[in-house]
Amino acid sequence: MPAASLLPLFGSAAGPGTLGGPAGSGAGGGGRKAAGPGAFRLTEKFVLLLVFSAFITLCFGAIFFLPDSSKLLSGVFFHSAALQPPPPPPGGQPRAPPQPGGGPAAAAAAGGAGSLERIRADHERALREAKETLQKLPEEIRRDIRQDKEKLLQDARGRKEAGAPGLPQRLFRQPVGAVGQEPADPDVRQRREKIKEMMKHAWDNYKRYAWGLNELKPISKQGHSSNLFGNIQGATIVDALDTLYIMEMKEEFKEAKEWVEKNLDFNVNAEISVFEVNIRFVGGLLSAYYLSGEEVFRKKAVELGEKLLPAFNTPTGIPWALLNIKSGIGRNWPWASGGSSILAEFGTLHLEFVHLSHLSGNPVFAEKVMNIRKVLNRLDKPDGLYPNYLNPSSGQWGQHHVSIGGLGDSFYEYLLKAWLMSDKTDEDGKKMYYDAVQAIETHLIRKSSGGLTYIAEWKGGLLEHKMGHLTCFAGGMFALGADGAPSDKTGHHIELGAEIARTCHESYDRTRMKLGPEAFRFDGGVEAIATRQNEKYYILRPEVIETYMYMWRLTHDPKYREWGWEAVEALEKHCRVDGGYSGIRDVYNHHESHDDVQQSFFLSETLKYLYLLFSEDDLLPFEHWVFNTEAHPLPVLRKDDGNKEENQK
């Protein structure tokens, strides 16, 4: 564009006819209307409007898009903190007079300058951080992101705990027998040390290869998780806490406690087995609290107990087997007799939930399990027996299948132990137990042609002459309950326990590896031998050793310690591997075929019962403790405990 053509935008050239010159004068005026001093041509107005619009756009862009723009915006459109008069000082004292040269204009200028300085500093800091991030390796960036996430989660947990109602204060008194004396016999002491070394081998390998996960695969040397626990982790840690404590493995107990404090998290969106989580996690945490007095275990136990409560939201109050602990939605195993709940699962909550009420001051836990008793007492029992299946909606029995092994076992155990744990005040539990034992003796207990006493299974009135490894716990149960039986039956119950212990020992002794099968039969000329391939495995189960321990404590017959030591030798020979302990697929085979799982209950039950078998009776004495079905010791609740606590508050 020629330069001359730009002149009309900014006025004429100097000389006649320029702004302020006489109207109509000068060459080229040509009748063109002269502009007065207060007027603009149309093109000039357009340019000014364009410049003004660009300026406004630039200002608003700076306000909204520069760092800390929200603070600047509030200072521009509302009132900057620098412009607001300060609040009156407390006590009505007069404010100091304003400094000379101050005033609204000066304050505004100072506030604006401060805001711009903050904007500039934030902008420069953001640029520096972006540059530093771009210079990092991808692994470092991912690590930083993980750390930021963990910090946010910890902060969120801290805020939640700070805002949640706390547990009532409780004066901790360690129950009698949390620690015991060394065995007087040096041979017994040496054997007990060997069992402690087995525990250390199992624990150290879990720590090395699967720390924080649920269980260990000792052959593969990696973690193993069952869907029984959903996304909850650390089953072996929680299950082993009390074993570590009573074996005086203090460093290991300390590191387990620290893991529980920092990592045990129940805020997961997962479906769990109510039964398994209760006996392993709730039971393990309760026991760890009662032994050590560490408050973290009480808090975690109550927190988890509260998350299990929605399982009881059924028409009858009989809980679901499976529960999503985030949504609170429950269901039953699809294979369980038309959607029924299982006797051994809903019947094995009583001990833990009574203790949850005791430690939390909240009666709802005990109320839930007492309601189960009410439902059961309203029902007719076929021949006095309790079928394994109960529909939680209709409140009626499912299939008439009765077992003292899998699906039924710990229900009977908890009837007896609820009475013992109540300081023998729970008369309802006592009656239910002894009535059930009478029906079991009448309809299920049989003697083989070779003189072995066994407990058969009952299916719709017909007996299946099979006994499971799980059923072997009953020898200890019968002996433990002998003291409360009618006086003419006390000796009989001890004898019955001894006979079951002998039969279960035979099931071990008749295998090549001297370890018991999952189930054994008494038919077709076979006695105490597994005849089906899917019953020949051994998964480090504790029930036979559990019965040996009870029988030793109650009779002091040395054969039970000898039988226990036979089991130790078999475990060391066939189950011990470099990475821990593994189950066996076929105990009758000449060559070990390992299942590559170190079960958490091996540390919780099998090794604990062995350790107690070779300990003095003052360690966890029966008059002061009962064991839950995962071998977690819980103290007897004395009748005067509540009054003592009230007086000491």
Side-chain angles (χ1 to χ4, degrees):
M1 181 183 295
S5 65
L6 294 175
L7 294 176
L9 294 174
F10 300 97
S12 305
T18 56
L19 288 175
S25 64
R32 180 178 169 193
K33 187 175 179 180
F40 292 97
R41 296 190 183 97
L42 181 61
T43 52
E44 293 168 342
K45 292 179 180 179
F46 175 75
V47 170
L48 289 172
L49 181 62
L50 191 64
V51 171
F52 183 71
S53 299
F55 177 74
I56 294 297
T57 303
L58 182 63
C59 291
F60 272 83
I63 290 170
F64 285 102
F65 296 109
L66 283 177
D68 213 20
S69 59
S70 59
K71 294 180 182 178
L72 180 60
L73 186 66
S74 64
V76 172
F77 287 101
F78 304 100
H79 292 286
S80 172
L83 298 177
Q84 293 178 0
Q93 296 175 357
R95 297 191 189 98
Q99 296 296 320
S115 297
L116 289 173
E117 285 297 324
R118 285 198 305 274
I119 291 169
R120 187 179 297 108
D122 290 342
H123 186 62
E124 290 174 355
R125 186 177 66 251
L127 288 174
R128 282 197 308 272
E129 291 175 354
K131 185 177 179 181
E132 291 170 1
T133 301
L134 289 172
Q135 291 175 345
K136 290 183 179 179
L137 295 172
E139 293 78 6
E140 294 176 323
I141 295 173
R142 283 193 288 269
R143 185 196 62 209
D144 292 344
I145 292 172
R146 281 197 303 270
Q147 290 175 347
D148 289 344
K149 284 183 176 179
E150 289 172 3
K151 186 177 185 303
L152 286 171
L153 286 172
Q154 289 174 358
D155 291 346
R157 280 198 288 266
R159 287 193 299 271
K160 181 177 179 182
E161 290 175 3
L167 293 173
Q169 289 188 351
R170 184 177 188 275
L171 178 64
F172 175 74
R173 298 192 307 276
Q174 190 178 57
V176 174
V179 292
Q181 297 177 352
E182 285 280 317
D185 187 324
D187 291 336
V188 173
R189 189 162 60 245
Q190 184 178 6
R191 289 182 170 186
R192 193 174 82 151
E193 280 301 309
K194 172 58 184 175
I195 295 159
K196 182 175 178 178
E197 185 276 330
M198 294 170 69
M199 177 67 181
K200 184 165 178 58
H201 180 68
W203 177 262
D204 286 349
N205 280 285
Y206 166 76
K207 181 183 174 184
R208 183 176 298 116
Y209 301 117
W211 183 247
L213 302 177
N214 281 321
E215 290 169 321
L216 167 68
K217 294 172 77 70
I219 306 294
S220 306
K221 296 182 179 178
Q222 61 186 14
H224 170 73
S225 284
S226 165
N227 59 5
L228 296 172
F229 312 117
N231 292 339
I232 299 175
Q233 296 297 324
T236 292
I237 296 174
V238 177
D239 238 357
L241 281 165
D242 49 17
T243 308
L244 295 171
Y245 189 92
I246 67 169
M247 290 187 180
E248 299 185 58
M249 298 173 67
K250 295 179 181 179
E251 284 303 313
E252 291 84 352
F253 181 83
K254 180 182 176 182
E255 63 192 4
K257 176 208 160 194
E258 289 173 354
W259 186 91
V260 168
E261 280 182 314
K262 296 176 182 177
N263 302 105
L264 185 58
D265 184 14
F266 306 128
N267 297 308
V268 295
N269 184 10
E271 188 175 64
I272 53 93
S273 164
V274 175
F275 165 75
E276 293 289 351
V277 167
N278 175 65
I279 65 172
R280 300 196 201 201
F281 284 89
V282 177
L285 292 166
L286 288 171
S287 179
Y289 169 72
Y290 281 118
L291 288 168
S292 70
E294 295 287 352
E295 190 66 19
V296 62
F297 299 131
R298 180 168 75 124
K299 289 180 179 178
K300 290 287 186 181
V302 174
E303 177 192 351
L304 181 54
E306 289 172 347
K307 288 187 176 295
L308 297 181
L309 287 175
F312 294 85
N313 294 338
T314 66
T316 59
I318 298 295
W320 299 112
L322 303 169
L323 177 72
N324 185 302
I325 58 176
K326 181 177 182 180
S327 68
I329 296 173
R331 67 182 179 98
N332 278 333
W333 299 105
W335 48 264
S337 186
S340 291
S341 299
I342 296 170
L343 183 68
E345 295 194 338
F346 67 76
T348 311
L349 303 168
H350 196 99
L351 304 185
E352 296 84 0
F353 273 54
V354 167
H355 269 285
L356 286 175
S357 281
H358 178 69
L359 292 182
S360 69
N362 187 349
V364 67
F365 300 105
E367 290 168 357
K368 295 294 185 184
V369 291
M370 292 308 296
N371 177 67
I372 294 174
R373 290 259 192 97
K374 293 177 183 177
V375 173
L376 292 175
N377 283 331
R378 288 196 297 263
L379 290 169
D380 291 329
K381 288 85 178 172
D383 292 332
L385 298 168
Y386 289 84
N388 291 339
Y389 301 108
L390 179 63
N391 191 294
S393 298
S394 67
Q396 299 300 313
W397 299 116
Q399 296 174 2
H400 282 194
H401 175 204
V402 177
S403 169
I404 312 305
L407 307 181
D409 48 5
S410 45
F411 164 72
Y412 305 97
E413 174 189 0
Y414 271 40
L415 291 177
L416 171 63
K417 290 180 176 178
W419 173 60
L420 295 173
M421 193 179 78
S422 72
D423 202 14
K424 300 182 179 180
T425 62
D426 183 359
E427 291 296 329
D428 188 40
K430 178 183 179 181
K431 182 179 186 308
M432 291 174 72
Y433 170 73
Y434 288 105
D435 287 351
V437 169
Q438 182 61 48
I440 289 166
E441 278 208 78
T442 302
H443 299 288
L444 302 182
I445 294 182
R446 295 291 183 266
K447 191 178 285 286
S448 72
S449 57
L452 295 178
T453 299
Y454 64 96
I455 307 175
E457 296 189 8
W458 190 86
K459 294 184 177 179
L462 300 176
L463 285 183
E464 183 179 13
H465 297 273
K466 177 186 83 169
M467 185 169 172
H469 193 292
L470 290 166
T471 316
C472 287
F473 90 97
M477 179 182 73
F478 291 142
L480 182 64
D483 186 54
S487 56
D488 59 332
K489 292 287 186 83
T490 299
H492 171 67
H493 280 228
I494 288 282
E495 183 182 350
L496 184 57
E499 290 178 358
I500 296 298
R502 174 172 170 253
T503 298
C504 293
H505 175 258
E506 286 298 313
S507 77
Y508 273 51
D509 200 48
R510 297 181 186 193
T511 72
R512 183 196 163 276
M513 297 185 184
K514 305 303 179 185
L515 293 168
E518 181 69 5
F520 45 93
R521 295 181 179 267
F522 296 85
D523 52 21
V526 170
E527 293 192 4
I529 292 176
T531 59
R532 302 182 184 182
Q533 190 59 41
N534 64 354
E535 297 173 348
K536 294 182 178 181
Y537 60 88
Y538 172 71
I539 57 171
L540 308 174
R541 285 203 186 276
E543 290 78 20
V544 175
I545 295 166
E546 175 184 357
T547 280
Y548 294 165
M549 188 275 292
Y550 278 106
M551 294 306 302
W552 161 256
R553 283 278 182 101
L554 295 166
T555 69
H556 281 195
D557 187 331
K559 72 183 177 187
Y560 296 114
R561 278 183 166 172
E562 289 307 312
W563 290 354
W565 190 248
E566 289 174 8
V568 169
E569 293 177 323
L571 286 165
E572 287 294 279
K573 183 176 181 180
H574 300 292
C575 298
R576 183 168 179 146
V577 295
D578 288 342
Y581 289 86
S582 171
I584 300 290
R585 298 184 192 279
D586 186 344
V587 293
Y588 298 93
N589 207 326
H590 289 281
H591 304 287
E592 293 98 351
S593 176
H594 294 108
D595 66 10
D596 197 19
V597 179
Q598 180 176 284
Q599 305 279 350
S600 76
F601 57 67
F602 178 67
L603 290 79
S604 171
E605 299 185 74
T606 309
L607 293 177
K608 183 187 289 123
Y609 285 136
L610 282 169
Y611 189 80
L612 292 172
L613 177 61
F614 292 96
S615 296
E616 298 297 321
D617 294 356
D618 65 341
L619 180 59
L620 302 177
F622 292 165
E623 60 266 29
H624 293 283
W625 298 86
V626 297
F627 295 89
N628 88 336
T629 200
E630 191 77 4
H632 295 307
L634 300 171
V636 170
L637 297 175
R638 302 296 178 191
K639 293 187 288 287
D640 57 350
D641 277 355
N643 294 333
K644 284 182 181 177
E645 286 191 17
E646 285 299 320
N647 293 335
Q648 292 176 0
K649 282 182 181 177

